[in-house]
Amino acid sequence: MHCPFCRHPDSRVVDSRTTDDGTSIRRRRQCPDCARRFTTVETASLMVIKRCGVTEPFSRNKVIAGVRKACQGRPVTEDALAKLGQRVEEAVRATGSAELSTHDVGLAILGPLRELDLVAYLRFASVYRAFDSLEDFEAAITELRELREQPPPAQDSGNGEAGPALPVPVTAAD
């Protein structure tokens, strides 16, 4: 790490702390040449490969902006959108992959969005899964109704026994 003051090619880490959200590390550094201190923030890079082949850094804000469009006119708060964005980012980072396709990010959005608002889910899914007929909408609505009619999953009782697995998110057929 070059010193931003004197451009010395090395620095010493004085202190390291994780940020509040745990996604990055804040390091306090000191230059051995000029003795000035500076702060760096390190994050693991996560790249998204777009359909056109262009690669860009993952952006939680872009996820939230896309979902916000699907939620227009729906009773969804900004706080709920922020939580959804965090869940999606945690899910895609948990894959352990440094690069994901936009398809993978879309899949990560569908599950939490379905839990948040079914109408917004249908709006998002209609674009993401490229619905092009009424039958596509009807099939998606039928799937949602079937999922809703299933008994709710049992909550973890705290004794180490989890309830049944949650239903798998509805995804586009490839």
Side-chain angles (χ1 to χ4, degrees):
M1 181 85 224
H2 285 30
C3 173
F5 305 108
C6 71
R7 303 299 299 156
H8 189 271
D10 198 15
S11 63
R12 182 174 69 90
V13 175
V14 178
D15 182 41
S16 292
R17 298 179 189 186
T18 58
T19 57
D20 290 337
D21 62 2
T23 60
S24 56
I25 297 175
R26 180 187 163 277
R27 297 197 193 278
R28 193 73 180 137
R29 297 175 176 269
Q30 183 172 3
C31 175
D33 196 39
C34 70
R36 293 179 77 176
R37 290 185 174 194
F38 57 98
T39 301
T40 59
V41 178
E42 298 175 18
T43 58
S45 67
L46 178 61
M47 302 302 285
V48 176
I49 304 167
K50 298 176 84 168
R51 288 184 194 147
C52 63
V54 173
T55 303
E56 66 180 39
F58 174 84
S59 169
R60 185 187 301 185
N61 290 334
K62 283 185 84 169
V63 168
I64 293 170
V67 172
R68 183 179 289 121
K69 289 176 188 173
C71 293
Q72 273 185 322
R74 301 297 304 155
V76 176
T77 65
E78 283 297 315
D79 188 45
L81 289 174
K83 287 178 183 173
L84 182 138
Q86 182 176 351
R87 283 182 64 190
V88 170
E89 183 171 359
E90 288 170 356
V92 296
R93 286 194 184 277
T95 65
S97 178
E99 290 186 339
L100 297 164
S101 68
T102 52
H103 178 77
D104 296 330
V105 176
L107 287 177
I109 292 170
L110 286 174
L113 184 55
R114 187 181 65 227
E115 294 171 15
L116 181 64
D117 187 277
L118 291 176
V119 172
Y121 166 83
L122 276 173
R123 289 175 178 170
F124 187 87
S126 71
V127 174
Y128 173 73
R129 293 170 51 192
F131 289 2
D132 54 1
S133 70
L134 286 176
E135 289 75 23
D136 292 338
F137 278 97
E138 289 171 345
I141 291 169
T142 301
E143 290 172 10
L144 288 173
R145 284 189 175 133
E146 289 171 359
L147 286 174
R148 195 168 57 179
E149 290 171 2
Q150 293 177 356
Q155 296 297 318
D156 187 350
S157 60
N159 61 4
E161 296 177 22
L166 293 174
V168 177
V170 178
T171 60
D174 290 318

